[in-house]
Amino acid sequence: MTIPPDTKNWTWVLERPCADCGFDSGAVEYDDIPGLVRANAAAWPAVLARPDVAVRPDEQTWSALEYSAHVRDVFRIFLERLELMLAQDDPRFANWDQDETAVAERYGEQDPELVAAELGAAAAAVADAFAAVPPADRGRRGLRSDGSAFTVDSLARYFVHDPIHHLRDVRG
């Protein structure tokens, strides 16, 4: 079963609350981001321990295992993007096709215990990296491949929506 690709431009979550998960980036302070990431990561091992973790609920929806592998990779990708923003002036991020990655990396066939460990490690790394950014550097910019511009601050608030939203997806 092939999942239809997600073609939405989710940058709107910086302008208004997400009607699906309730996340409101405008109500989140930068200094809250590391704690939100750590709290989110702490919930995934229970998801990955489910006996039906690899079962898709329908033909249009990833399994909890696939969502977990995706969230792990979101943590990794945004760590890379943050590091680029701090090391370069106005870097352009490489395009990341999450749907292509899910197929190529065979998310649905990965070992749930390994995904849990990798997700936890990736979350800790990105949480620590955001926590270490001094206030003077939070205005540094980076550009997504589609031209969307972010500061470190807006990237953090945009990024944290994804794992929060997906945890809601797997909890129903």
Side-chain angles (χ1 to χ4, degrees), residues 37-105:
V37 170
R38 290 183 183 102
N40 180 271
W44 287 96
V47 170
L48 284 156
R50 293 181 192 159
D52 65 344
V53 69
V55 177
R56 288 182 173 170
D58 58 56
E59 293 182 11
Q60 308 294 311
T61 308
W62 278 345
S63 68
L65 176 57
E66 290 167 305
Y67 273 118
S68 301
H70 168 72
V71 167
R72 172 205 57 210
D73 288 352
V74 165
F75 290 147
R76 291 172 172 172
I77 293 292
F78 279 85
L79 175 60
E80 290 174 13
R81 290 178 176 182
L82 175 61
E83 289 172 341
L84 274 174
M85 292 173 81
L86 296 173
Q88 300 175 18
D89 291 332
D90 296 325
R92 184 169 292 272
F93 309 137
N95 188 41
W96 180 51
D97 186 326
Q98 64 187 18
D99 300 298
E100 182 180 295
T101 302
V103 172
E105 298 296 322

Side-chain angles (χ1 to χ4, degrees), residues 132-155:
V133 177
D137 287 342
R138 294 177 188 170
R140 293 185 60 85
R141 290 175 15 111
L143 302 167
R144 202 166 62 178
S145 61
D146 68 359
S148 296
F150 293 92
T151 62
V152 169
D153 179 75
S154 66
L155 183 80

